[in-house]
Amino acid sequence: MAEVVPEEKKEAPESKARIHTYPLIRHSDMNDEMKTEAMELCVTACEKFASNNENAARMIKETMDKKFGASWHAVVGEGFGFELTHEMKNLLYMFFGGNMAICVWKCS
Amino acid sequence: MPSAYSIDSILGKAERKLSAIPDDVEIMRNSPSVIMCPQTSGCMSVQSPSKDSNDRSPGASRNGENYFDSSPEKSENEEKHEHSHEDLNTSLSDGENEESGNAGNKPRKLRRSRTTFTTFQLHQLERAFEKTQYPDVFTREELALRLDLSEARVQVWFQNRRAKWRKREKTLGRESPSFMQREGGLGLPDMPPSHLGYQSPLEAYWSNRMTNLPGLNPLLSMPHGSAMLGNMAQYFNKVSSAGLFPNYFQSTAPGSSFPGIPHMYMRTGLSDISAIAQAQAAAALSSQLVGRFQVSEPEQGLDFRRHLTKIQQVTLDQEVAQRPGGGAKTSRLRGSCDVFFSNEIGHRIEASTIKHTNMPPKGVPAKAKPAPVKPKAVRPKAKDGDDMTDVDGADHDDWVNTKALVKPDDQLELTEQELKEEFTRILTANNPHAPQNIVRYSFKERQYKQTSSVDQLAIHFALDGNMIHKESDEAQRQRTKLGIPDAHVEPAVSEVGEPVSAAADSEDRGDEAKEEAGDDAGTQAASGSEGGGNKKLTNQFNYSERASQTYNNPYRERGTATEPPPRAVFSGNVTQWEIFDAYQEDFEKQEKNKEKKVIPGRKEEEKARKRLTVTETSGDDVSRIAKAAKIVERMVNQNSYDDIAQDFKYWEDPSDEYRDNEGTLLPLWRFSFEKAKKLAVTSLCWNPKYTDLFAASFGSYDFMKQGNGMMLFYSLKNPSFPETIYETDSGVMCLDVHPEHPYMVAVGFYDGSVGVYNIEKKDGHLHRCTAKNGKHTDPVWQVRWQKDDLENNHNFFSISSDGRIVHWTILKNELTYQDVIKLAMPDSAAEGPDGTKITTIGCGTAFDFHKKNDYLFVVGTEEGKIHTCSKAYSSQFLDSMDAHNMAVYKVRWNPYHPDIYITCSADWTVKIWERGNKSASDKSDAMDASAKKPLFTFDLNNSVGDVAWAPYSSTVFAAVTADGKLFCYDLSVNKYEPLCEQMVAQKKKTKLTHLEFNPEHPIVIVGDERGTVTSCKLSPNLRKQPKEKKGAQAVDPSVREQAEIAKLDKILLMVRDPTENKG
């Protein structure tokens, strides 16, 4: 134990300095399959349009429309507030890349 | 229908031409008589009216002066029409034109040169003729265009060709020309047979007229057929013609005998329809005049004569009858009839048959013909300028004289000479006014050329229509003139005598024919309107509209709304620091997870242990492998307690051989249960069937520390854990296992209730008495099974501090009770004399049944008394004595000797009693109860919790005391000192509460007040068997029993004797 603890302590400050880039699902009520797919899509879109959030959102929205039926909405940005009404089991709120927030929901 | 060319008018005209009604000669005179030159077809001869009436014929050709030599002066008056008939001109240009032209008074003004056809033209025309004899105007025009001819030339050619063909047909011997096949639909299909070789005058007329009105040929455009005409006849029978043309004034030609009524000339075959119509019509004939004509026409067609043969009302039958006669007379009797319908004023229909017969050619026409070969010249027959009907009267006399001829009264009588007089007046179609010398510049040939074909049209005959439209100005004028206010409300003109007046009118005003026609038309319209114009008024009082409207179903909206998918509201804020925090949090979590993943290696053992415990405690999952788990558990225990087991089986204290009067106890397993640690062992009971299994009840003897109780079943094979655990809400003070049904356990509780458990069942609890059914009011100190009663019901006894001994019986599903005895204080009666009789109740604490006699049992009480009781006597003790100074804790009969029992008490003593002593005591009744003395008394220096006889010897018993010691006596060895006195409890202060010998093995279990049960093995000295009987050990138990009894008796005898000796 004595050996392990210092190691961990060393790791911790490093990790704090590190920028987290992995997708982090903050809130979602989707089923797992859908969630995974939506998350993948968001990552793809954000990576593809790294400098253009609007295009990323458009891509997410259109792809989701195709895959899961109409009326998806997507918000991609670094800072925003929202209060939305969504159909149950159709909401994904995630962070990505350390500074991006993506909110995807369905409401037709 | 244009008024001028209506069928009606046409027919009327035709009728007028062909069938002038002989009756009204005057009228007939007025009407223009048209004589056609059939042969040339283009030639039309109009017989000019007679001198006195010529000016009245409106229908006569205005060009008549050109053609009617006989009346040139009259024609001048009528020169209104400037049309010229070039066609006629051409048609006549075949040779007779010259003659006819010469015949006329006036020289021909213009004459067209004869057209010469080229071979090609002729060929083409012939081909066209082969196709159709009657090409329509379009075909002709097309042909003309192709052949570079004028349409008129083509038409004329066709006319001529037809004539030629017809002639040839005739010469070939055919009766009727076949060119007019019915299907041709051209012209008049039913030519009178008499016209063989000639064209119908009508046809000629129309073919001429047609040029006048190109594109409109009423006859051609009208479907023909005799049947059709017959139908029409029928139709006109039914419908008044006025009704048919309600919008028209109908004016008949002045010559009509029935002015105002159109005459229909129907030419029919002998069709059935027309025959029927005739029959009907004939049957309905009134006395009106009917002209029956037999018109004979000359073969050559030069003349067209009409003979009034007779006027007669005929029926059809008559007609038929007459026909042969007439036919006989005439050379050829044709079957065709002309039906003349006239709609009378009185809506009568007259049907007359007009027989056309071909008369043998008369001399007159033959003579008259300048050119005999071609009968083109037309000569009017009217000699005196009168009606033509007059003309041939004489001729007809020849052949109709057989019949009674009826002549009109005013028929002119002509002399033979007059009749023979010829009027040679040739009617040509040449328009005298047409210029013949027109020169035009031909661009084609670049020179002036005389146009060969000048469209000359000479109108020989024109007849205005009889009908004028109501709305027209003329009709208006006439109406105003007649004083008719309106067409609709025209009052019916009295129609009787109308014809007469009309006739008179026509005679009077000759020249104003139109007006007259209008007049007639007006009257006709009046009658027509009267006939068909009456509008039926609705009954204003009882009128219902026929039309009905269906009920319109009300519209209804129907819709369903599906439930919208559930929605939820979600809100949040995205900021960089929130994102950062979230990541941070998640990262930490991940780190923790990583740690956890690392650690398990160390903690594996702990987890394994936990799992073990989990599996042990978790119920359901383990229950499936309960059996296997139990086996494993026992095996584990067997290993872990192997030394104890070895001791249990084989250890015999070797030191016993060297000390005769001492024995030892070897502690073996210690049974302890966590939950029962704070409870005292209140009773122990070996299972009669499984000698390794015992039951222990746990409760509390402390009045102040009552709580729950417990019942545990231990097996020697598994000392670590009880086999079965029953927890109860009240302290269990005693239990007893049924000797024959080892699963049945009777239990007494501290709260006074008793219960029965079945340890085979999971729940186990079978019965428990309540306050309602005989529950004790104080703790139940002992329960004891009895043999099944007579009804095989399980039953047991219980004893309690409340002084009751109760007999419980298990009846199927319920527990019934019966009080056996109440432990009333025997000495209460003695206290009675004070006047206060208080029956004090003894508190039973222990009892035991006699091994042999079921009914007999001894009871120990808290007071230290011992009662000998019988089940039979519930109110009285068999014996009672003060055995101890303090509470009796246990009473046990000797397993071998029937009269010996042992008691232990809190007064530190254990006493052995003999029931047989009773009798001795009985003898000394005077002696107080205390005088009764036990056989033996042992003082153990502490409260004795329990005492028990050893099952293997009648002289060995053991007792446990509150100071944790176990005393073991063998009377046969030592009557005063215990063979063994040993601390069993782990601590000195631990009270031992109960003990029990194992019925088979040389062990004893001891319970203490701390919930621990200790098993001890008796050393060989403590379980000595009589040596002398060693060899006979195999002998049956009864012998051994006797030996045991004898052994005890031998000892007792030593004890008894002194007492008896004393006594």
Side-chain angles (χ1 to χ4, degrees), chain B residues 100-168:
Chain B
S100 63
N102 294 336
N105 286 342
K106 289 184 179 178
R108 190 153 290 170
K109 280 176 186 175
L110 51 109
R111 188 167 174 94
R112 194 178 54 79
S113 61
R114 183 172 181 145
T115 311
T116 351
F117 296 101
T118 63
T119 325
F120 172 71
Q121 283 172 339
L122 282 173
H123 180 66
Q124 290 292 316
L125 286 167
E126 283 291 342
R127 279 185 60 187
F129 185 78
E130 278 174 32
K131 282 181 189 168
T132 172
Q133 289 91 349
Y134 292 89
D136 61 2
V137 66
F138 303 109
T139 316
R140 286 198 308 268
E141 268 171 355
E142 194 200 7
L143 208 56
L145 203 66
R146 200 152 40 123
L147 301 179
D148 195 21
L149 288 169
S150 72
E151 190 266 337
R153 295 278 74 72
V154 176
Q155 186 184 22
V156 169
W157 186 91
F158 267 95
Q159 285 171 353
N160 292 337
R161 183 66 183 81
R162 284 196 294 270
K164 185 180 168 188
W165 177 72
R166 216 176 286 129
K167 191 177 174 185
R168 197 169 53 202

Side-chain angles (χ1 to χ4, degrees), chain A:
Chain A
M1 281 297 281
E3 292 172 4
V4 175
V5 172
E7 282 175 13
E8 282 178 352
K9 277 180 180 174
K10 274 179 194 172
E11 279 178 7
E14 279 174 16
S15 64
K16 272 176 190 171
R18 189 163 68 194
I19 298 168
H20 304 288
T21 55
Y22 60 88
L24 171 62
I25 291 178
R26 189 77 174 137
H27 178 85
S28 176
D29 61 353
M30 293 175 174
N31 56 41
D32 286 343
E33 196 180 335
M34 193 182 192
K35 194 198 295 178
T36 313
E37 200 163 336
M39 195 189 73
E40 287 298 323
L41 171 65
C42 289
V43 170
T44 311
C46 285
E47 280 171 353
K48 192 177 180 184
F49 302 103
S51 57
N52 192 339
N53 291 345
E54 192 181 333
N55 281 353
R58 183 190 304 279
M59 179 185 172
I60 293 167
K61 183 245 186 309
E62 284 172 358
T63 316
M64 290 299 280
D65 277 353
K66 264 184 211 167
K67 282 185 176 173
F68 301 107
S71 292
W72 283 86
H73 311 270
V75 178
V76 179
E78 297 185 358
F80 55 89
F82 57 89
E83 169 147 342
L84 53 89
T85 303
H86 64 97
E87 286 178 20
M88 300 280 274
K89 303 280 183 191
N90 286 300
L91 170 71
L92 175 69
Y93 174 42
M94 60 177 283
F95 298 147
F96 175 69
N99 61 343
M100 297 289 289
I102 302 151
C103 191
V104 185
W105 75 95
K106 181 183 183 174
C107 186
S108 41

Side-chain angles (χ1 to χ4, degrees), chain B residues 294-312:
Chain B
Q294 283 188 322
V295 181
S296 69
E297 290 179 15
E299 183 100 32
Q300 297 298 316
L302 285 175
D303 205 346
F304 186 71
R305 298 181 186 177
R306 299 183 177 194
H307 299 273
L308 174 64
T309 51
K310 59 176 174 180
I311 302 164
Q312 189 179 357

